[in-house]
Structures are given as structure tokens and as C-alpha cells.
Amino acid sequence: MTRSPHKLIPAEFSPVPSLDNTCEVVAVRDFAADLDAVALLVAAGTDLTAVVGLGTDALAAAGFDAEPGSSLVVAQDGHPLVLVGIGKADELDADKLRDAAAAAARATAKKGGRIGIEVPELALDARTVGQVLTEGARLARYRYAVLKAEPKEVPLALLQLKVAGADAAELTAGIEVATVTVRAAAIARDLANTPPGHLTATDLAEVAAELGAEFGFEVEAYDKAQLIEMGCGGILGVNAGSVEEPRLVVLTYMPDGDPSGHLGMVGKGIMYDSGGISLKPSDPMHLLMKMDMGGAAAVLAAFTALRDLGTPAAVSGWLCCTDNMPSGSAYKLGDVLTARNGKTVEIKNTDAEGRIAMMDGLALAVEAGVDAIVDIATLTGAAMMALGKSRAAVLGNDQAMVDRVRDAAQATDEPVWQLPLERRYRKQLDSDVADISNLGGPHAGATTAALFLDEFVAGTPWAHIDIAGTMSSDADDSWRSAGATGYGARLLANLAAGFSA
Ligand code: BES
Ligand code: ZN
Ligand code: ZN
């Protein structure tokens, strides 16, 4: 990669360090003798006297009640043993098991990088068990540590899964799916955690090209001169204040056989959002604006999973990448930009830049004739205000498409909640001088932002995922680790894997 010398970024710096961390995951009948620790998942009411020499009452007295969230390190000959509660066995679902594996991986984090997880016989199918155990443990142990001389934790290098009564081949099949989904989520996290000076739009396009070559999809990147030729006035407008060039990165995945349909994905790729001329006021929150490309990261990461998940649909992606900076050349309030589809947009707030950069990507998806569009964006503080940091907002013009997103979100435990695309609010986006303005009223900000995007999908079935809240986590929490969550990468991969026109 070519890098600005003044930033002293080593030429070998990788924005996707997770690809260098390998973790072996295997289903076993007996654990290796030299593991650093073993976690035993314990259902409520299980008598452990024979295993740890303590009955249920003694364990409760020591603070372990086998409920989710409860754990206890018990001294053992050989490797340390950690008890991790999973609650009532008949209430256990895939999400709770994923969370339990995450808790197990965290409870053993201080012990080392080679761990085992032992699971009692469960009512869930073995493939799902293998998948969610692997996802929970590996995602929980994710750390962004490339810029630290001394990482605090040893990375997970070996995970052995011992599941009572489970078919080994089925478990292994689940582990293999998780290897792909975890890799995708980790790539999305890496990209969003990377400092903005270490990952410009140009850098992201180069990373995309490398990932495409490795994981089986085509990548084309369009630079500033090409975007002018193409009439992408939105990306160019947002980019006007930056010394860094924009990039529109187009991803194409083709399945081996006849495609079951053609799905379009559009990602907001604001490499850093300062607000532009509508400069954001000083606030610790703005540290997070390096993650304003979390939507683009999720789309790119999902593409790395498509081939290995055997995705039957053709999938195309448009990543709208630029930073949003104030300067003498920046776009101004009152400016009117012309989008790829010819619509004119009056800028009333340069901090509502995501919708502006994405309008060109959406218009291009329509031109490509996709059967449906999903877009993903760290779009509005309003979505975070409404739903908090663990659930994303979903809105759309087609209930079937919204439902597909909800189903995928359910499967991957990247939860969403539908907000209404209330068309009565469209008039808030009216402009006196242009076809539309980029700013709605003081309320329903997530809805008015979506109504803006709706203007560029030309009636194509479309769902929009607003991940302003879910892109990051303040602390380790279930499968999320502190920092970028990679939210959306697994969801989009799941959506594509099940897509047909
Ligand atoms: N990137 C922000 C949205 C955001 C806020 C993401 C908090 C993550 C955490 C977006 O570009 C923005 O600034 N939106 C404005 C829109 C407003 C000016 C209409 C917002 O939400 O305040
Ligand atoms: Zn903004
Ligand atoms: Zn933004």
C-alpha cells in the first residue's frame, strides 16, 4: 500500500489484522491434556458433585447459580476448570448458547489461548451448536491489538468443543460455517477500529481488491476523476472539503450456477465524519466517527463470506467512500448537488452527509437492475436515541424485503426493530430551490433520513438498516467486544445466502 509518509504508518500495516490470527476449532471426544483452561457449560439443576466435588448448595454459596451470566473458577488437577451457567436447559436457544460460549471464552481469557468448552446434551441440532459455540467464543475473544506493543490478552489459538451426544460431522459442519461468519465479522471490526489516518477511502479500495482476490469476488474502484465522469455529485460533494480522494468501490459476486436472483448492497463509507462545515461540537462521542464507514465495512466483510457459504444469488455492492471534512473547498449550506440519477439536492446540513454519499450508490444499484436493495449505514443519531446500542433500525418500501432482513437478523442475533417509513413526513424534505433537501424536521430523524434514501431506489424492493447505535459497544457484551462490533456483516451474509428473487 502507498501511504502518507508524515503519518509514519509502516508500509506493512494491515487494516485487517484478524486475517493473520488463525484459530483452530475442533470437535473432540476428549480434551487435549495441555489446554490452558476448560469451561463447562452448566444447566440449572445439574448436580456437579461427581465433577467438582461440590453440590448445588455449595456452589450457590460460592456464588454460582448456573444462571446465564454466572461463572465460577474451580481449582482442578490439570487445567483450570470454569463453570459457566446456561440457565434452564429447555429454555436454551441458539442465541443463549452463543452468549454462553462468549462468557466461557471471556472467563478463560486470562488463562491462555488454548481452551476447551464442554457442553451437556442439548435439544438444539449439532450443526447449530457447533456454529454458535464457535461464533460466541471467537467473537468474544476478538481484540483490536495491532497498534499495541503488548496486547493484554493472548489471542485464542485453539478451541476444542466437547458436546455430549452430538454427531461430530454435524458439529464440524457448524464450525466450518462459523469460521466464515467469524472471519467476516472480524474483518468488519478491524476496518471500523482502524484509525481514520490509517484507513482512507483509497486504502479501503485497496483492501477491497485484496479481499476480492482472496475470497472470490470482483472489485472495481472509481476515483475522483471517474466519479466526475459518472456524475456522482453526492460522493463528490461530501468529498469536496477533503485532501483525500473519494472512492466508489463496486463489488460483484457471481455464484457458480444460474443465480437465484440479484441482490444489491449499498454501504455508507464515511471514513471520518467531522460534520463538515456543520462541524460537530466537541464531544467524546466523536472518537467514534472513525467508524462512520461501518456500513461499507459490513458490506465488504459480508462479501468475504459469500463464496464459502455457497450463496446462490448474484450479489453486487456499492461502497460510497469519502471522509467529511470542513475546509475552504468544502461543500456549504445552500449548495445544490446533482446525484447520479439527475436529482438535485439542497444541502441544509453538511453533517447529514451519509444520505448524500449514498444516493449515488443507490442510483447505481437501480441502474444495475438488481431485484432488491439492502443498504446499511451509521446514518442517524436518532436511530440510536430510539433503540439504543444493541438493536438497529430497519425501514423499507417493501415489507417482504424488511422481513427478510428481520429473519437474517434473528438468525445471527444482530437484532433489528422496524421503524415506519412514514410518508407524511416526506414534505419535511422539501426544498425551495432543488428537488429535495438533505435535512428533515426536528423529530423522526431516522425516518426522514430513510425517506431521503427512498427517493433514490426508484421503487426497487428495498430495506435500509441504520446502525448508528449498534456499530460499536462501550464494553464487552455477549458476542460483542468493546469497540467496533462488526454489526451487519453476519446479517448481510445470511441475507445473501438465503436470497432469491
Ligand atoms: N454519522 C452520523 C450519525 C451517527 C451519530 C452515527 C452517532 C453514529 C453515532 C451522521 O452523519 C450524522 O451526523 N447525522 C446527523 C443528521 C442530522 C444532521 C440530520 C445526526 O444524526 O445528528
Ligand atoms: Zn454526519
Ligand atoms: Zn455520518
Side-chain angles (χ1 to χ4, degrees):
M1 254 178 214
T2 42
R3 302 197 165 275
S4 320
H6 71 275
K7 286 175 196 147
L8 301 179
I9 300 169
E12 67 277 10
F13 173 80
S14 168
V16 281
S18 291
L19 288 179
D20 304 329
N21 292 346
T22 46
C23 174
E24 187 192 347
V25 187
V26 276
V28 297
R29 279 179 179 280
D30 294 297
F31 289 127
D34 63 346
L35 292 181
D36 296 320
V38 165
L40 178 60
L41 303 195
V42 182
T46 310
D47 182 9
L48 291 175
T49 315
V51 186
V52 297
L54 295 170
T56 311
D57 290 346
L59 286 172
F64 181 77
D65 61 6
E67 286 307 310
S70 133
S71 71
L72 182 71
V73 182
V74 275
Q76 270 269 106
D77 302 340
H79 34 63
L81 181 70
V82 185
L83 307 181
V84 174
I86 56 172
K88 291 200 182 80
D90 56 357
E91 289 175 10
L92 190 79
D93 58 17
D95 292 347
K96 287 183 182 156
L97 187 60
R98 192 189 286 104
D99 289 353
R106 287 201 179 99
T108 53
K110 293 277 179 294
K111 311 285 181 214
R114 298 162 57 83
I115 69 164
I117 299 180
E118 181 168 349
V119 184
E121 192 153 351
L122 300 171
L124 297 166
D125 70 277
R127 188 179 289 239
T128 303
V129 170
Q131 181 179 345
V132 298
L133 287 175
T134 308
E135 287 178 346
R138 291 198 56 200
L139 290 174
R141 287 286 285 269
Y142 172 92
R143 287 287 178 255
Y144 184 72
V146 275
L147 298 171
K148 282 177 183 287
E150 281 171 45
K152 282 201 195 102
E153 284 168 16
V154 198
L156 198 58
L158 175 65
L159 174 63
Q160 297 196 331
L161 302 178
K162 183 175 163 188
V163 184
D167 179 74
E170 285 294 297
L171 270 179
T172 303
I175 290 170
E176 278 166 9
V177 170
T179 304
V180 176
T181 59
V182 168
R183 184 179 70 206
I187 290 171
R189 288 178 181 186
D190 283 349
L191 291 170
N193 280 324
T194 303
H198 285 62
L199 186 69
T200 63
T202 311
D203 296 332
L204 186 71
E206 288 187 27
V207 173
E210 287 167 18
L211 293 174
E214 191 168 346
F215 298 113
F217 55 95
E218 296 288 317
V219 178
E220 263 181 289
Y222 297 90
D223 66 13
K224 186 170 175 173
Q226 291 169 305
L227 288 167
I228 293 170
E229 280 293 303
M230 292 162 71
C232 291
I235 299 172
L236 290 165
V238 176
N239 182 252
S242 183
V243 296
E244 292 289 346
E245 277 223 2
R247 287 288 184 272
L248 171 74
V249 185
V250 183
L251 315 175
T252 314
Y253 163 80
M254 284 302 267
D256 275 341
D258 243 0
S260 61
H262 188 185
L263 176 63
M265 296 186 184
V266 178
K268 170 175 172 179
I270 301 299
M271 311 310 294
Y272 182 75
D273 182 10
S274 72
I277 293 297
S278 310
L279 190 63
K280 289 181 183 293
S282 178
D283 182 320
M285 179 82 195
H286 301 145
L287 253 182
L288 295 180
M289 287 305 137
K290 69 173 182 181
M291 299 184 190
D292 212 20
M293 33 58 73
V299 171
L300 176 56
F303 267 74
T304 67
L306 298 179
R307 180 186 64 194
D308 290 349
L309 292 180
T311 304
V315 190
S316 300
W318 288 264
L319 315 181
C320 307
C321 303
T322 171
D323 42 17
N324 181 26
M325 298 297 286
S327 83
S329 60
Y331 75 141
K332 305 165 188 72
L333 310 195
D335 269 345
V336 172
L337 306 178
T338 304
R340 164 78 186 180
N341 67 356
K343 282 202 190 189
T344 56
V345 184
E346 182 187 7
I347 303 303
K348 292 188 178 171
N349 188 318
T350 64
D351 197 12
E353 84 298 338
R355 61 197 77 177
I356 300 296
M358 290 171 78
M359 65 189 185
D360 295 325
L362 293 168
L364 286 162
V366 170
E367 282 177 48
V370 297
D371 296 312
I373 299 174
V374 60
D375 83 70
I376 183 160
T378 49
L379 205 63
T380 67
M384 176 165 58
M385 289 297 181
L387 299 173
K389 290 188 70 73
S390 58
R391 199 171 273 271
V394 62
L395 304 93
N397 64 357
D398 179 84
Q399 193 57 40
M401 188 57 192
V402 169
D403 287 343
R404 287 184 198 233
V405 169
R406 291 164 71 181
D407 291 347
Q410 179 112 49
T412 62
D413 194 28
E414 293 161 293
V416 295
W417 196 260
Q418 186 175 5
L419 297 179
L421 192 70
E422 184 62 66
R423 295 199 183 272
R424 290 158 52 90
Y425 300 159
R426 168 59 184 80
K427 56 180 174 293
Q428 297 182 16
L429 295 167
D430 284 348
S431 161
D432 290 339
V433 298
D435 296 332
I436 190 171
S437 97
N438 78 330
L439 188 65
H443 309 128
T447 291
T448 50
L451 283 168
F452 181 94
L453 299 178
D454 173 62
E455 295 282 321
F456 297 88
V457 299
T460 306
W462 156 74
H464 154 68
I465 310 172
D466 191 331
I467 57 167
T470 58
M471 70 177 186
S472 70
S473 182
D474 300 332
D476 290 347
D477 170 17
S478 65
W479 56 264
R480 299 160 182 82
S481 53
T485 58
Y487 184 102
R490 290 182 297 121
L491 187 164
L492 292 175
N494 183 287
L495 178 74
F499 185 81
S500 59

